[in-house]
Amino acid sequence: MKKHKIDLFTLFCYIITLFVLCFIGGIVCIIIFRGGYVFAEHLKDRETLFATWMSVKTALISSILCFFVAIPTGYVLTHLPVPFRGSVEAVLELTMTLPYIVIGLSLLILFSTPAGKALKSAGLPFVFHQNGIVMAQLAVNLPFAIKLAVMAFQGVNRKLEAVAGLLGASRFQQFRTIILPLCKNTLISSFILIWSRALGEFGATLMLVGVTRMKTETLPGNIYLNVSTNQIDGALASAFLLLILAAFSLFISHLVTRTDWRKQRYE
């Protein structure tokens, strides 16, 4: 094993890394020890269970919708000619840098227009409704889902698609038999990441649907309500539950990614 000489620069990098580890680790430890201590007594709380179910359900629906839209969009951006490609990509990525509360405000204005009111009259309300939670999560995570799909498709060897095309395969057949199988694990890992992000979305949701107990209350909303009423233990218990869900999704994502890496290594 090669020994590395510890010079001043290397020492500086180690110190910064140790500081980052202590800083982030301290945040995690607060949630683990303080939240874990009160988690059991709040686990059967009716409001906490409602918020957990609402978060998991809406995150799953919004993540499915995200990838239903992101996969064909990613295919267009990587495989088909697009006029003004740079401008299109800039528009799609712009909301990634916006505060989520601004996205929520835009959605609130959008669904307060006559078109939004028509949707409500047709039985599809969004403002101050649970459907709005899904819409807020979708608006926040869709640019990230598209970016992840684009990165996955860019990693596919285009020569394989070209050979399949020469053998008579249509674009859809190439997509189904070459691109999707090669990107499967990456897309699954990306889906889990988007689902985990949706669990913690709050800013856009707050603007579009508000936080009403036992109606539009997700786990982040439950934390917000508990802190606003000085129920710190309840907020910590919900934070601990979010940490467990995030850790589980991260573990599954890494497991899928590692399996894909090993498969590619031995092919």
Side-chain angles (χ1 to χ4, degrees), residues 5-30:
K5 182 180 178 182
I6 305 296
D7 54 16
L8 189 60
F9 174 72
T10 305
L11 181 61
F12 172 77
C13 291
Y14 272 123
I15 292 173
I16 294 298
T17 302
L18 181 61
F19 170 77
V20 171
L21 181 63
C22 292
F23 179 68
I24 297 177
I27 295 172
V28 174
C29 286
I30 288 173

Side-chain angles (χ1 to χ4, degrees), residues 57-69 134 137-138 141 145 190-199:
K57 179 181 71 172
T58 55
L60 181 60
I61 295 172
S62 67
S63 298
I64 291 173
L65 292 175
C66 260
F67 275 85
F68 180 78
V69 175
V134 175
Q137 294 171 350
L138 178 64
N141 286 327
S190 300
F191 178 87
I192 295 170
L193 176 62
I194 293 298
W195 177 80
S196 179
R197 282 176 50 86
L199 280 177

